[in-house]
Amino acid sequence: MKIIAAIEHVIKKPIWDCQMCGQCVLHDTGMTCPMTCPKTLRNGPCGGVREDGHCEVKPEMRCVWVKAEDRSRNMPLLPTVWREHFNNLRPPVDNRLKGDSSWKNAISGRDKETPPGWTPVAEAPEAEAKA
Amino acid sequence: MSRLGELLDKGDELIITGEAPVIDGGTLKDYEAKLAELAPWCDAMNATDNTAAHAHASNVAMAIAMQRVGVEPILQVVCRDKNRIAQQADIMGVALHGVENICCLTGDDVTAGDEPEARRVFDLDGPQLVRLANSLKEGRYLSGRKIDPAPSLVIGAVENPATHPLDYRAQRAAKKILAGARFLQLQICYHPERLEAFVAALHANGFTDKCAILPTVVAVKGPGPLRFMDSSVPGISVPVETIARVADADDSAEEAYQLVLEQCQHALALPGVRGLHLTDFRKDGSISRLCADLGIRPRSERESRANDFALAN
């Protein structure tokens, strides 16, 4: 199984700077890896984004979520269902999956498992809730 | 139930929260004196969690201290310093002492503080923490383990209406509201049009009925703190003309006061805003003047009038 993880890493690292969290949500986040955010935020940008749209922690880097939001709306060929998933409340990361192949975990459904006490929210935030 | 929780249930009365000063040494008596200026005006005050990534007396200790001196605390919980196990322990720990109000934040990064070499945690993010607190309220830990009796929690969060991506901020706030946040303390905003657009988007979609929106206003005394916030506080930008207005005035302290008053009036006039979150950098008695100018009475008076009203009806 390690060979699948190795192949995934070789492909995804150069393109998305994949961090191998083993529970990939790239498709829901405008094809922008949220694990490259210094705070590894999976549910949108923190309140520390700079006036120029750059990262609080790494001033030279454009905020991962500013990029993700922009791409989720404007990237051509992105399936509508992926765009619609952008606002979903993504559950806490399962740290046991780090280094594992997310492809394998997507096929087995392992990446969808959440802690028993976690309840998904009933409705996704309204897409119209933007200014 | 906490006073904040009761006010949220009522759904119409003004809510004033305040930022309690941090504790770096001293006794409970010293702390009581530090709270004296702002506390009488606030329905509840934030027991902050290592603000701006600087170590202080802990959020939990601060909340209990506030409880002991008769000030209703809001336990701030940030994601920077602790993992999900410790965060649950803190919330359950203060619940044991009767603290019900919880405010969930992602938190500033360690690099914003004076120990930037520290390890950052961020096991959860802000919206996930709101959902976690909601699980505790419903009587179970994240593991699914039962909590009986479940703690009575009043869950809130924060959002920054003033920074990028601007169009997305209201949606992120909505995400937290849907996850269980009943109040949102907003980051101080020096761009009135951004605050307006943010609140209007939430109001238009009915989110302000589910959640009390509390914009922050920082009482500053001159251009110094404005320059500091602009240059050093992540996510805050202060327009040059705003700084110049205060810096170039004959009486900077008075001009700063007028700016703060205008910010409060502007925020309170927006449909969907339930109240204010006050931070006092002036420490010169201005909060009393500010509340008088805004027609806001002390908590004790608002409380007793609300009781009279309830009895009469």
Side-chain angles (χ1 to χ4, degrees):
Chain A
M1 279 308 189
K2 277 198 178 140
I3 187 77
I4 301 177
I7 295 168
E8 182 172 341
H9 188 63
V10 166
I11 295 171
K12 284 166 72 179
K13 177 77 184 170
I15 306 178
W16 293 291
D17 193 19
C18 170
Q19 305 293 305
M20 293 300 285
C21 69
Q23 47 220 293
C24 190
V25 290
L26 257 182
H27 45 290
D28 287 350
T29 55
M31 301 310 287
T32 308
C33 175
M35 303 311 276
T36 59
C37 159
K39 298 182 184 176
T40 61
L41 304 182
R42 285 167 86 92
N43 285 294
C46 71
V49 181
R50 290 165 191 267
E51 187 61 9
D52 62 1
H54 282 221
C55 173
E56 165 193 345
V57 184
K58 297 179 180 170
E60 68 285 359
M61 179 176 92
R62 194 171 172 222
C63 165
V64 168
W65 278 98
V66 168
K67 245 186 321 199
E69 199 264 343
D70 182 20
R71 287 178 181 168
S72 174
R73 279 191 292 126
N74 302 321
M75 184 182 262
L77 303 177
L78 199 67
T80 309
V81 61
W82 289 2
R83 293 188 208 276
E84 286 169 354
H85 284 173
F86 187 74
N87 266 338
N88 289 356
L89 179 64
R90 279 166 283 279
V93 168
D94 185 335
N95 288 288
R96 292 170 297 183
L97 299 183
K98 190 163 174 57
D100 220 358
S101 164
S102 72
W103 295 340
K104 185 193 79 183
N105 293 328
I107 291 166
S108 68
R110 176 67 182 81
D111 66 346
K112 304 287 184 300
E113 285 175 24
T114 54
W118 176 265
T119 45
V121 288
E123 42 176 336
E126 298 292 326
E128 311 87 82
K130 59 182 164 190
Chain B
M1 188 190 279
S2 69
R3 170 156 171 84
L4 180 59
E6 282 173 9
L7 286 170
L8 292 169
D9 283 349
K10 282 184 193 164
D12 52 356
E13 284 172 40
L14 179 79
I15 297 174
I16 302 293
T17 60
E19 193 86 343
V22 295
I23 306 178
D24 294 306
T27 64
L28 205 55
K29 214 164 180 54
D30 299 331
Y31 192 53
E32 197 173 1
K34 271 181 147 188
L35 289 169
E37 188 174 341
L38 193 49
W41 303 97
C42 297
D43 296 299
M45 294 181 84
N46 289 4
T48 54
D49 191 359
N50 297 330
T51 48
H54 289 63
H56 302 286
S58 76
N59 54 343
V60 170
M62 201 168 157
I64 295 168
M66 285 162 70
Q67 191 94 315
R68 284 173 65 181
V69 299
V71 174
E72 181 170 309
I74 301 171
L75 182 84
Q76 257 192 6
V77 185
V78 306
C79 297
R80 176 194 57 244
D81 305 325
K82 291 181 175 180
N83 71 6
R84 63 191 85 176
I85 298 173
Q87 288 173 316
Q88 292 176 91
D90 283 350
I91 296 171
M92 292 305 293
V94 293
L96 175 69
H97 292 272
V99 177
E100 299 180 349
N101 309 321
I102 309 291
C103 187
C104 305
L105 292 72
T106 299
D108 291 319
D109 187 63
V110 292
T111 50
D114 54 359
E115 299 180 52
E117 71 282 11
R119 177 185 290 203
R120 62 175 69 89
V121 179
F122 298 107
D123 184 28
L124 300 185
D125 60 30
Q128 290 167 348
L129 181 58
V130 172
R131 200 66 189 151
L132 166 66
N134 201 65
S135 287
L136 298 177
K137 186 184 166 188
E138 288 175 353
R140 60 184 184 282
Y141 289 99
L142 200 53
S143 67
R145 185 156 43 90
K146 212 173 156 200
I147 305 167
D148 188 18
S152 158
L153 299 179
V154 178
I155 303 162
V158 299
E159 188 50 65
N160 186 346
T163 194
H164 300 282
L166 290 169
D167 286 352
Y168 180 65
R169 288 288 161 183
Q171 293 181 61
R172 182 163 152 86
K175 186 185 259 201
K176 293 176 186 177
I177 296 168
L178 290 169
R182 298 188 60 208
F183 64 94
L184 273 188
Q185 295 174 326
L186 306 184
Q187 177 63 288
I188 174 73
C189 176
Y190 287 95
H191 302 266
E193 71 291 351
R194 294 182 184 178
L195 180 64
E196 276 168 35
F198 174 87
V199 177
L202 288 176
H203 193 57
N205 289 283
F207 286 109
T208 51
D209 296 334
K210 297 176 187 153
C211 179
I213 308 298
L214 307 171
T216 292
V217 176
V218 180
V220 292
K221 208 172 186 172
L226 296 175
R227 288 198 189 101
F228 173 78
M229 283 189 273
D230 183 54
S231 65
S232 307
V233 181
I236 300 181
S237 76
V238 188
V240 279
E241 50 276 25
T242 307
I243 298 174
R245 172 185 159 182
V246 174
D248 300 344
D250 293 335
D251 184 348
S252 278
E254 179 57 23
E255 193 60 31
Y257 175 80
Q258 292 302 329
L259 170 71
V260 172
L261 179 62
E262 282 166 28
Q263 286 180 308
C264 293
Q265 288 165 334
H266 173 257
L268 288 171
L270 298 175
V273 165
R274 262 307 282 288
L276 296 171
H277 177 68
L278 299 174
T279 300
D280 183 20
F281 282 178
R282 291 178 68 108
K283 303 191 196 313
D284 62 353
S286 295
I287 296 297
S288 303
R289 181 184 169 198
L290 184 69
C291 289
D293 285 350
L294 291 167
I296 296 171
R297 283 164 309 116
R299 165 185 165 145
S300 57
E301 283 180 33
R302 283 185 277 136
E303 221 166 4
S304 62
R305 203 191 69 142
N307 287 340
D308 292 347
F309 182 78
L311 288 171
N313 285 274

